[in-house]
Amino acid sequence: MKVKILSIIVIVLLSIQTFYAQILKVDSLTSKVIWQGTMDIGGHNGTIAIKEGFIEMKKGKLVGGKIIIDMKGITIIDADGTENEKHIIKEISGNQFFNVGTYSTAKFEITENVAEMLTGNLTLNGITKPVKFKIITEKAEKKIIINSILFPIDLLKWGLNFNNWFKGKNLGNALSIQVHIETN
């Protein structure tokens, strides 16, 4: 009798878990945003650190989450030397562009995942706008790994304008980004 009751409890608990979302913490050491500028601005690329976040999984599918992006964690991968890297980071972190002094973090909140096409709200410089991009979700041992396909965002939607930064030049305002998320 005790074995039957215990078996029923285990089955019920396992069933409940499949109906509710599982919350997984984002690994801030291995997760990052990869960015790539257009050739108009020198074609630079780099990363931005993920400060913290979580994702929600339900029946093996990403259904929600929130990622806090550390705008102070901007790096340049392709700069010609340390001085050039410092100069570029200072420029894009300054008041004329990302204004990291005022907006030290950005945020992405997942609102929907339909056929691995992720929709969410991206907040940059205090402005929130929807974005949509394709993802690939993998499971590696106990980790969930989510990679987006490289996709452009129009920075004008967030009040960011390369033309303000590079005075007198007519530049495109798309920045391509790729998101790499790993759970703990």
Side-chain angles (χ1 to χ4, degrees), residues 108 112 114 117-121 129-134 151-153:
F108 178 68
E112 185 177 46
V114 176
M117 185 62 77
L118 202 63
T119 303
N121 293 314
K129 297 287 179 183
V131 293
K132 190 174 192 175
F133 52 90
K134 185 81 174 155
F151 64 97
I153 59 170

Side-chain angles (χ1 to χ4, degrees), residues 31 39 44 56 59-60 64-65 68 75 79 90 94 102-103 106 108 126 140 155 160 162 164 175 178 184:
S31 300
M39 289 307 294
H44 291 295
E56 295 177 59
K59 296 182 181 178
I68 305 298
T75 66
K90 181 180 177 184
T102 302
Y103 302 103
F108 178 68
L155 295 172
L160 302 170
F162 285 135
N164 291 341
L175 183 71
Q178 181 178 11
N184 286 335

Side-chain angles (χ1 to χ4, degrees), residues 69-87:
I69 303 163
D70 183 2
M71 297 305 290
K72 292 180 180 179
I74 297 175
T75 66
I76 307 291
I77 294 172
D78 65 347
D80 299 330
T82 306
E83 288 304 313
N84 192 29
E85 180 180 355
K86 286 180 185 177
H87 174 73

Side-chain angles (χ1 to χ4, degrees), residues 8 19 24 27 30 47-48 62 65 73 87 90 93 100 103 109 119 125 133 153 156 180:
I8 291 171
F19 290 111
L24 301 170
D27 185 344
T30 57
T47 63
I48 307 174
L62 177 65
H87 174 73
K90 181 180 177 184
S93 297
V100 172
Y103 302 103
E109 292 184 86
T119 303
N125 284 11
F133 52 90
I153 59 170
L156 289 175
H180 175 82

Side-chain angles (χ1 to χ4, degrees), residues 143-177:
K143 288 186 174 196
I144 301 293
I145 301 170
I146 300 162
N147 284 300
S148 75
I149 304 299
L150 189 67
F151 64 97
I153 59 170
D154 181 354
L155 295 172
L156 289 175
K157 291 180 179 180
W158 288 272
L160 302 170
N161 189 341
F162 285 135
N163 295 325
N164 291 341
W165 185 27
F166 291 97
K167 303 260 188 265
K169 294 185 179 179
N170 187 16
L171 304 173
N173 285 293
L175 183 71
S176 294
I177 62 174

